[in-house]
Amino acid sequence: MEKEQYQQLEQNVTPKPPYIKNVAKAFFVGGLICTIGQAVSLFYIIFFNFTEATAGNPTVATMVFFAMLLTGLGLYKRMGQFAGAGSSVPVTGFGNAVISAAIEHRSEGLVLGVGGNLFKLAGSVVLFGVVAAFFVALIKYIFVMIGVVSW
């Protein structure tokens, strides 16, 4: 009986999380990051004569660089505290994860600290991304060979 009373008391005392507010902040910040990414892509298309298909790689690299720079300055952490998943879902979250591990272990030295922990958090993302890409390409290759789809 005491356990049930404690759980009831805990439910009464625990504040309810503001789900709508959190979702709105995540949506706004994630959308803002994506809008900046689109502006960077248009920058490459307009000023460097990239096509929409070829502007993707430099855009991603630029956005990851921006995230790493903001992380180094301590601003990305504040944005993450405000926006939650809205700051970690876009590709900038990857840059933040990579550089955060490096910054956290810099006191251990460049090789063992920074180099050894650089992909500590993001390594699994890279690994599973490469493995998934391999299997998707393999399945497409098989479908092309048996004539289900064409190049």
Side-chain angles (χ1 to χ4, degrees):
M1 191 68 171
E2 291 178 16
K3 185 176 181 180
E4 292 175 7
Q5 289 175 340
Y6 178 78
Q7 288 176 345
Q8 183 66 31
L9 177 65
E10 182 184 20
Q11 287 178 354
N12 293 339
V13 174
T14 304
K16 304 291 185 234
Y19 292 115
I20 303 289
K21 181 179 173 185
N22 290 345
V23 168
K25 290 192 297 188
F27 181 79
F28 174 74
V29 172
L32 182 63
I33 290 171
C34 293
T35 302
I36 293 169
Q38 185 63 40
V40 170
S41 181
L42 289 174
F43 173 80
Y44 284 119
I45 291 170
I46 293 169
F47 292 105
F48 293 102
N49 295 322
F50 281 91
T51 64
E52 284 187 34
T54 59
N57 290 338
T59 300
V60 169
T62 303
M63 293 303 291
V64 169
F65 172 76
F66 285 161
M68 290 179 168
L69 183 66
L70 291 174
T71 301
L73 296 173
L75 299 175
Y76 204 90
K77 183 177 181 179
R78 288 186 198 165
M79 184 172 52
Q81 290 171 341
F82 173 78
S87 65
S88 63
V89 174
V91 71
T92 53
F94 175 78
N96 176 51
V98 170
I99 205 70
S100 292
I103 290 171
E104 183 178 337
H105 293 81
R106 70 176 180 243
S107 63
E108 297 172 20
L110 288 176
V111 175
L112 295 177
V114 175
N117 292 296
L118 193 61
F119 286 101
K120 189 176 193 176
L121 297 174
S124 59
V125 174
V126 173
L127 171 71
F128 288 111
V130 169
V131 170
F134 171 77
F135 283 113
V136 167
L138 182 63
I139 292 168
K140 181 178 179 182
Y141 178 75
I142 292 169
F143 282 165
V144 168
M145 294 313 279
I146 62 174
V148 175
V149 294
S150 63
W151 287 109

